[in-house]
Amino acid sequence: MDSQQFVLGPEVQAFEEEMAQYTKTRHAIGCASGSDALLLALLALGVGTGDEVITSPFTFFATAGAIARSGARPVFVDIDPHTYNIDPAQVEAAITPRTRAIMPVHLYGQCADMTPLLDIGARRNLPLIEDAAQAIGSEDRGRTAGSMGLIGCFSFYPTKNLGGAGDGGLLTTNDEELCRRLKALRVHGGTTEYHHREVGINSRLDSLQAAVLRVKLKCLDVWSGERQKKAQRYNQLFQEAKLEFELFPPFVRPRTRHIFHQYVVRVPRHRDAMMNHLNQKGVGTKIYYPVPLHEQECFQYLRYKEGAFPQAERAARETVAIPCFPELTEEQQGYVVDAISSFEASGSSTARLAHTS
Ligand SMILES: *Cc1c(COP(=O)(O)O)cnc(C)c1O
C-alpha cells in the first residue's frame, strides 16, 4: 500500500519470476484471471473468427468461453472415462483445415495425456495451449503442467490450489516472442505507452495479489502433498468400507503427479441420492460439472446433439467431488466415509420399500 504500486510493478515481476521457476518455464506473464489467460493465449496466436480450437466438453465454462470470445469455434472431443481428460485417440478425427490450436484441460489436478497430444500437435503443426487452472505443480512423465504446450494458463481464483485474495491469472511459455506479445496484449496491445500496433485488452495482475501469492507459493508443495495424503487415505478407507453400491475413486495415470484440486468419485447409480444424504449429514459435495459444455444454451449454435459425447455426458450424471483440502483431518475423513457407508443402509431400504409397494 505504501509503495502505491497497485497494478503490475516489482511485486508482480518477482512473482512472475518465481512462477517461471516453479513451472520450469522461461517466461511467466501475470494477468487478471485464468479466463483472461486463456483468451490472451488465443489472441497471441492470432486465433479468431473462422478458426476452430479443439477442447474438452467436460471442463469449467471458461475454457470454451475463451475460444468463443476470441471469435473462434469450440470443437469438442469426448473424454477418457477414467481420467475425465480429453481422449487423445479421438482428437485427430476432429481436426479440419480450420483448426488452429488444441486446448487440453488438466482436470481436477491431473494432467491430460500429453505425450500423444504433443505428438498430434507436432505432426499436424498445431500449437497446444494447456488449461492448467486446476493443475499448478502437477506433472506428466516428469514434465510440469504449463511447460509442455506452447502456452500454459493458470488461475489464482481463491478456490484453486494456489488461491489469491481475489481474481488473478498467469501465462507461461518458453517462447520469447510470444512472451513479448502477451505482455503487450495485457495492456491494450501497446508496447510503448500510448502507441498501439494491435488491439489488446486490460488484463493485469494486481501487486497486492502478487504479494499474497508470493507468500502462499512457498507453501504450495506442502499443501499439494497434504491433498495427496488425503486422497490416499480416502482410497484406503473406501477399500475397507466394502460399500454395497458402486463407487469408483479417482483413477491416477501412471507416471503423473496428481495434485488433487478435487477428489472426484464416480457413483454410477446413486449419485444424487448419495449427495442428498451427505448434505443432510453436513458433508459438503459438489458436481464438477453438471452440464457438459456442448449442452449449454449459449452453445446451441454449435449444433451438437445430446449423445454426441457419451463419456462427458455420463461423467456429468455420475461424478461428485467430496471434501479434499490440506487441513482436512483424519477424523473428518472418517466421518465422510462413514456418512457414505451409512447411505448404503438407507439406500437399500428405500429400494426394498419401492420394490414391495
Ligand atoms: C478456474 C478455471 C478457469 C478460469 O479461471 P478464473 O481465474 O476463474 O477466470 C479456467 N479453466 C478451468 C479448468 C478452471 O478450473
Side-chain angles (χ1 to χ4, degrees):
M1 297 288 275
D2 284 342
S3 78
Q4 291 290 297
Q5 268 279 1
F6 290 111
V7 174
L8 297 178
E11 203 66 45
V12 169
Q13 214 175 332
F15 177 61
E16 288 172 339
E17 279 161 24
E18 287 161 9
M19 275 297 294
Q21 202 167 24
Y22 185 80
T23 57
K24 302 191 177 79
T25 54
R26 300 255 295 278
H27 310 281
I29 303 99
C31 65
S33 70
S35 306
D36 275 5
L38 294 166
L39 179 61
L40 285 164
L42 293 163
L43 296 179
L45 295 177
V47 174
T49 311
D51 297 333
E52 295 176 356
V53 177
I54 292 173
T55 194
S56 164
F58 193 61
T59 169
F60 179 58
F61 179 79
T63 318
I67 296 168
R69 263 285 144 246
S70 78
R73 180 185 178 87
V75 172
F76 297 117
V77 167
D78 208 0
I79 55 168
D80 173 316
H82 302 289
T83 62
Y84 309 110
N85 281 322
I86 194 167
D87 181 0
Q90 299 185 51
V91 168
E92 273 207 279
I95 296 174
T96 76
R98 293 166 184 263
T99 309
R100 295 294 309 277
I102 305 170
M103 196 182 258
V105 182
H106 305 320
L107 204 67
Y108 305 145
Q110 172 163 239
C111 286
D113 194 359
M114 289 299 284
T115 300
L117 291 173
L118 287 163
D119 182 54
I120 294 166
R123 267 190 293 110
R124 307 297 294 262
N125 198 23
L126 292 170
L128 264 66
I129 301 170
E130 293 173 64
D131 183 341
Q134 301 187 4
I136 188 167
S138 75
E139 291 172 12
D140 179 21
R141 299 171 178 88
R143 301 162 300 184
T144 329
S147 75
M148 294 174 270
L150 186 55
I151 304 178
C153 300
F154 293 88
S155 163
F156 307 116
Y157 186 72
T159 61
K160 300 285 153 84
N161 282 32
L162 180 62
D167 275 314
L170 183 123
L171 300 111
T172 50
T173 184
N174 289 317
D175 186 303
E176 195 169 340
E177 176 54 32
L178 263 179
C179 171
R180 263 199 299 275
R181 191 105 198 267
L182 288 166
K183 282 187 171 171
L185 284 167
R186 72 176 169 179
V187 290
H188 290 298
T191 37
T192 53
E193 206 178 18
Y194 305 124
H195 293 80
H196 302 262
R197 221 181 301 156
E198 60 183 331
V199 180
I201 60 175
N202 167 16
S203 183
R204 303 166 299 207
L205 186 61
D206 290 346
S207 303
L208 285 168
Q209 295 307 333
V212 169
L213 292 165
R214 288 186 72 197
V215 174
K216 292 183 74 176
L217 180 58
K218 295 191 181 79
C219 310
L220 184 59
D221 281 333
V222 173
W223 290 334
S224 294
E226 282 301 314
R227 286 173 182 270
Q228 288 166 332
K229 277 187 213 158
K230 315 297 166 188
Q232 271 164 17
R233 188 167 167 77
Y234 269 137
N235 293 345
Q236 186 197 330
L237 289 173
F238 282 131
Q239 221 163 31
E240 291 164 6
K242 299 205 170 54
L243 304 177
E244 274 168 29
F245 61 98
E246 280 186 317
L247 180 149
F248 299 101
F251 172 81
V252 180
R253 268 195 308 121
R255 301 178 65 200
T256 57
R257 180 180 186 233
H258 193 322
I259 52 145
F260 287 97
H261 172 61
Q262 300 292 352
Y263 184 96
V264 172
V265 297
R266 185 194 285 274
V267 186
R269 294 163 68 86
H270 306 286
R271 196 262 320 258
D272 292 346
M274 188 192 84
M275 274 183 76
N276 277 338
H277 177 79
L278 289 179
N279 289 345
Q280 271 162 27
K281 298 224 166 241
V283 176
T285 56
K286 198 155 175 185
I287 301 169
Y288 302 98
Y289 295 89
V291 184
L293 297 187
H294 65 288
E295 291 180 7
Q296 293 289 344
E297 198 178 331
C298 65
F299 287 143
Q300 288 315 295
Y301 72 93
L302 298 173
R303 300 197 169 277
Y304 286 110
K305 295 207 166 54
E306 207 186 307
F309 305 107
Q311 294 304 340
E313 292 167 30
R314 233 186 85 208
R317 282 195 307 269
E318 298 181 355
T319 61
V320 59
I322 60 173
C324 185
F325 49 92
E327 301 81 2
L328 189 69
T329 65
E330 287 196 5
E331 201 186 346
Q332 287 170 324
Q333 282 196 280
Y335 182 86
V336 172
V337 175
D338 283 348
I340 291 174
S341 305
S342 72
F343 166 70
E344 271 179 72
S346 60
S348 49
S349 67
T350 47
R352 265 196 304 277
L353 279 177
H355 190 71
T356 48
S357 63

